[in-house]
Amino acid sequence: MRNAPTVLHLDMDAFFASVEQASKPSLRGKAVVVGGLGPRGVVATASYEARVFGVHSAMPMGQARRLAPNAAYLVPRFTLYRTVSEQVMALLRELSPLIEPLSLDEAFVDLEAGGAAWDGESARRAGERLRADIRAVTGLTGSVGLAASKMLAKIASEQAKPDGLVLIEPGTERALLGPMPVRTLPGVGPATGDHLRRAGITTVEELAEAGEDELVRMLGKAHGHALYAMALARDERPVVAERETKSVSVEDTYDVDIHDRPRVGMEVQRLADRCVRRLREAGLSGRTIVLKVRRYDFSTLTRSETLRGPTDDPAVIREAAARLLDSVDTTGGVRLLGVGVSGLADYTQEDLFAQAAGEGAVDLAEEAVPQAPAEQVGPAGRQWRAGQDVRHDDWGHGWVQGSGLGRVTVRFETPQSEPGRVRTFRVDDPALAPAEPLPLVSEPASPTRPASALRPASGERLGRPAADPDGYDGRPGDGVQGPGAGRDSSGGARVPKSWSGTSGGGAVSRP
């Protein structure tokens, strides 16, 4: 472990919900919940205003609605989230070449490797300026933790939330960790936590006092050694510049169980095509095709098939997924389906096409798998989902507040406007069309000083603009949510953690 707090952990505050609030002036300061809006939807992110009511990530959406009935419930807009994430990661790359992204909204940075910090004071200046730069470029806030190791930096950023900075000075780690619950440490989940609790171990200090031999006896050699080291604040893991993507997958949760076998097959083919699109976007191919089926009774089955070599051919992956489905009994209904590819590589073995049943392959752009029918649609089968960007010929840019009974309600506002007015239209109104998200900041903001100039420099922090005093004061209707919407699913929103890295190895920091 280092002797200076030069490992930085950035965690954007309630990222998805914060992006929605920044994009929609009427929602600023209001409770916002992002996730799948169907009966089986799951919360992806809740704003801090919604968390006051007990809403949190991974909670069933139905439970969230009971806790916070007047919150705004929106589908995720991953295209916009990725764009904002790229802006944030670009600022991190100005600090150091050693950036380890964990997800769209979270990353480790080795400040020492980039010359941005070498002691506590310089690290604090770097962290403060990073937070100001993020605010200037995106309009959002992030929490920063600084410490001598990755584990401690992440703990520090949790303490800093929301919109703060915490630095753990070397030498104070044991005193800080001691009274914390054992669940604070990485690798201590519910099962391990319960096992330790039954043994009378509830805090990190008690974990250290138990001794390494006792922990190995209770938890096994690898886990016991690792937890004892962390209890003593020892973490030698380096910041890794590139993380290998191990798998690419998509899945859908259905509001109503699918009983029709041909419909199940159609959904699997559609998922296979979406999975291939993701593979190609990442420049990857894979050898192992995985099918996931969750049945009506919540039992989950997985089947896999390993090919002779990696492929990104849609015909090959569709055929493999279909073969895997043949081995699964779907009698009684299916509530979730997923298709994934693992054993990834950055090339394709062309002769694998021979594994496809047909002689000719049809490119994904040329063959569209039919979509499931939607409850409320506009022209050309458009779906109106709460939170979706739209544009009206007369009223301009807005977002869907809700839809139902043949009507769609739209609030017309932009990230730079005042809270907008609400109008209601027929779902088939020809003047209303889907639109691309608008930038959160009208002009590409330039921080007062580029992050690369952080080394010995100090300066004034950029001030935070005052929150809009007006806000959303009504409850939006439920957006129409069909399979594949928002989440890669009509159910819970799935945070695409696996998309933060690239294949292959990379430079690592000095431990």
Side-chain angles (χ1 to χ4, degrees):
M1 193 166 69
R2 310 155 189 261
N3 56 11
T6 56
V7 176
L8 180 149
H9 180 259
L10 170 70
D11 197 350
M12 300 296 291
D13 299 324
F15 183 53
F16 294 176
S18 294
V19 171
E20 297 300 338
Q21 289 175 319
S23 179
K24 301 172 172 65
S26 58
L27 296 185
R28 293 171 190 169
K30 304 298 179 181
V32 174
V33 181
V34 179
L37 301 186
R40 294 172 177 171
V42 176
V43 175
T45 307
S47 69
Y48 286 97
E49 295 85 356
R51 295 180 191 187
V52 171
F53 298 98
V55 181
H56 58 77
S57 299
M59 172 181 285
M61 192 61 77
Q63 183 180 356
R65 289 184 185 276
R66 290 191 293 273
L67 292 172
N70 295 319
Y73 289 86
L74 310 174
V75 295
R77 297 185 295 163
F78 285 118
T79 299
L80 179 58
Y81 305 154
R82 290 189 185 102
T83 299
V84 177
S85 175
E86 288 167 3
Q87 293 176 310
V88 173
M89 296 302 165
L91 292 174
L92 297 183
R93 285 192 291 273
E94 289 291 324
L95 287 172
S96 172
L98 290 184
I99 309 298
E100 183 178 338
L102 303 179
S103 65
L104 291 177
D105 60 342
E106 186 180 3
F108 287 109
V109 183
D110 186 330
L111 296 176
E112 188 177 10
W118 49 91
D119 59 13
E121 183 57 32
S122 59
R124 185 181 295 277
R125 288 199 306 267
E128 291 288 5
R129 183 57 62 86
L130 173 64
R131 293 175 59 235
D133 287 356
I134 290 172
R135 181 76 192 198
V137 171
T138 69
L140 305 178
T141 64
S143 296
V144 168
L146 294 157
S149 70
K150 289 167 65 173
M151 177 188 75
L152 293 167
K154 184 172 177 62
I155 290 172
S157 70
E158 287 295 321
Q159 293 185 320
K161 282 186 168 293
D163 190 20
L165 181 148
V166 169
L167 183 147
I168 300 176
E169 293 284 359
T172 66
E173 298 94 345
R174 291 286 302 277
L176 174 75
L177 285 176
M180 291 184 174
V182 292
R183 290 287 303 276
T184 303
L185 299 180
V188 182
T192 301
D194 287 344
H195 189 43
L196 293 171
R197 180 181 52 79
R198 288 193 295 270
I201 299 173
T202 59
T203 67
V204 175
E205 184 177 12
E206 291 169 346
L207 196 66
E209 290 174 350
E212 189 170 18
D213 292 342
E214 178 63 13
L215 293 178
V216 167
R217 185 190 67 78
M218 292 173 56
L219 305 172
K221 186 174 182 180
H223 204 185
H225 285 312
L227 282 188
Y228 182 70
M230 286 189 287
L232 299 180
R234 298 174 186 162
D235 180 15
E236 303 297 334
R237 295 174 301 160
V239 176
V240 181
E242 295 184 6
R243 292 162 53 87
E244 182 180 0
T245 303
K246 296 182 178 180
S247 65
V248 173
S249 64
V250 295
E251 62 182 41
D252 279 352
T253 301
Y254 303 99
D255 294 343
V256 178
D257 291 347
I258 301 175
H259 293 83
D260 183 56
R261 183 74 179 194
R263 167 78 188 284
V264 174
M266 182 187 75
E267 290 294 317
V268 168
Q269 296 295 290
R270 182 175 62 83
L271 290 166
D273 280 355
R274 282 168 48 201
C275 188
V276 169
R277 290 191 189 98
R278 286 196 160 188
L279 278 173
R280 291 181 171 181
E281 287 171 1
L284 299 171
S285 59
R287 297 183 66 232
T288 301
I289 315 303
V290 180
L291 175 71
K292 177 179 177 181
V293 179
R294 181 167 297 151
R295 298 190 290 193
Y296 69 97
D297 58 358
F298 287 89
S299 61
T300 301
L301 304 175
T302 57
R303 299 288 186 269
S304 64
E305 175 181 322
T306 299
L307 307 176
R308 294 194 302 271
T311 185
D312 67 350
D313 190 283
V316 174
I317 293 176
R318 284 192 213 120
E319 183 179 332
R323 285 195 299 269
L324 293 171
L325 179 61
D326 288 341
S327 67
V328 177
D329 180 12
T330 60
T331 305
V334 170
R335 61 185 291 120
L336 177 147
L337 291 168
V339 174
V341 178
S342 60
L344 300 181
D346 56 2
Y347 67 93
T348 302
Q349 186 140 340
E350 298 296 340
D351 68 351
L352 275 178
F353 182 72
Q355 296 185 62
E359 289 297 321
V362 182
D363 189 78
L364 285 172
E366 301 173 358
E367 179 180 65
V369 177
Q371 300 291 324
E375 178 185 343
Q376 291 286 347
V377 296
R382 292 198 304 255
Q383 299 181 23
W384 304 117
R385 299 184 289 270
Q388 173 185 353
D389 291 279
V390 295
R391 186 167 188 85
H392 191 273
D393 290 346
D394 298 324
W395 292 93
H397 189 91
W399 58 278
V400 174
Q401 191 167 295
S403 68
L405 301 177
R407 296 288 185 268
V408 56
T409 301
V410 178
R411 186 180 287 270
F412 291 98
E413 59 187 4
T414 69
Q416 289 77 44
S417 74
E418 296 294 320
R421 303 186 68 177
V422 175
R423 293 287 183 271
T424 299
F425 308 93
R426 298 191 315 272
V427 295
D428 58 354
D429 191 322
L432 188 67
E436 292 297 317
L438 297 177
L440 301 185
V441 177
S442 56
E443 296 286 338
S446 242
T448 54
R449 183 175 308 216
S452 57
L454 281 171
R455 295 178 175 93
S458 62
E460 304 246 339
R461 282 187 61 191
L462 296 178
R464 290 183 61 181
D468 195 318
D470 299 319
Y472 177 82
D473 57 4
R475 179 182 178 184
D478 291 346
V480 175
Q481 181 85 358
R487 174 188 196 248
D488 293 334
S489 161
S490 63
R494 177 170 177 266
V495 180
K497 293 281 183 180
S498 64
W499 288 98
S500 60
T502 58
S503 63
V508 298
S509 68
R510 297 183 298 277

